[in-house]
Amino acid sequence: MSTRGTLYGVGVGPGDPELMSLKAARVLKSAPVIAYFAKKGSVGNARRIVDGQINPNAELVRLDYPFTTELPETDPCYRDALVAFYDTSAATLAAKLDAGRDVAVICAGDPFFYGSYAHLHERLADTHRCEVIPGITAMSGCWTRASMPMTCGDEMLAVLSGTMDADGLAERLAVSEAAVIMKVGRNLAKIRRALARAGKLDRAVYVERGTMPEERIVKLADKPDDQAAYFAVVLVPGERKPL
């Protein structure tokens, strides 16, 4: 392993390039190989964040998802295709690491928080040196841009997925003092219904592309439609009690 390169999982933050850490910027300026995930036909959000801030001589390795929304996550073909994709991607990067080259995999937000990098890490960490550089998460960037304290005192925060069934989502929202709902996308209508059932629709805020130039922040109850961007979260702050 001593002659192999190091695999870096580099969190580049929620969208604003200035929110990257100094360590992330240093690694990206020196890494000989930089890999990034993207859906077909797209530059990739993480790649866009680091534009102009990476080693100009680096070899770029684009990892194209086999699909994004064409199949539901419950379809067996979805899992099979993703397993094959991550297996192939890990083998591609392993070959470069075995040749003694460091590889930096850029990841929007934090690599270990809903990050695709985690699937590579699971496949390579036992055989190769790996170092993960944390990044500011999308939810942190969004609640900061919304100027919204999420928890105070001993309040607890739940992080939920919009892909849950409506009943399960409503149940968890009802017992959560504060919540962040990820993976909004095509699930916004269901999320809205679940929040209403839990009695928390009036506190919910929709944030789209937080910290990015196209940022949009609006109270969910005031949003006239159920269309949502891929990069969107719903925030439900705790009920702040004055001290």
Side-chain angles (χ1 to χ4, degrees), residues 176-199:
S176 301
E177 292 161 310
V180 175
I181 305 175
M182 311 287 293
K183 299 187 177 183
V184 175
R186 295 179 296 178
N187 301 298
L188 187 56
K190 176 178 62 178
I191 291 168
R192 191 193 296 267
R193 291 194 302 271
L195 283 162
R197 285 176 53 187

Side-chain angles (χ1 to χ4, degrees), residues 12-20 45 49 109 136-146 207-217 231:
V12 297
D16 182 347
E18 292 188 333
L19 294 178
M20 273 197 298
N45 193 52
I49 292 171
I136 294 174
T137 62
M139 62 179 184
S140 177
C142 287
W143 67 51
T144 301
R145 290 296 301 155
V207 184
E208 179 177 303
R209 295 184 174 277
T211 80
M212 305 180 205
E214 312 92 330
E215 175 184 272
R216 181 185 179 199
I217 302 172
F231 295 104

Side-chain angles (χ1 to χ4, degrees), residues 149-157 177-178 238-243:
M150 290 294 292
T151 54
C152 294
D154 59 359
E155 290 179 329
M156 293 181 289
L157 172 70
E177 292 161 310
E239 295 185 275
R240 295 185 294 280
K241 300 176 178 64
L243 294 175

Side-chain angles (χ1 to χ4, degrees), residues 86-130:
Y86 287 121
D87 285 346
T88 300
S89 298
T92 297
L93 300 187
K96 299 183 185 302
L97 295 168
D98 292 343
R101 306 175 75 193
D102 291 344
V103 177
V105 180
I106 55 177
C107 185
D110 184 276
F112 281 169
F113 187 73
Y114 291 108
S116 294
Y117 167 80
H119 300 291
L120 301 179
H121 190 90
E122 290 172 345
R123 287 163 169 78
L124 296 171
D126 288 341
T127 54
H128 297 78
R129 286 191 303 271
C130 296

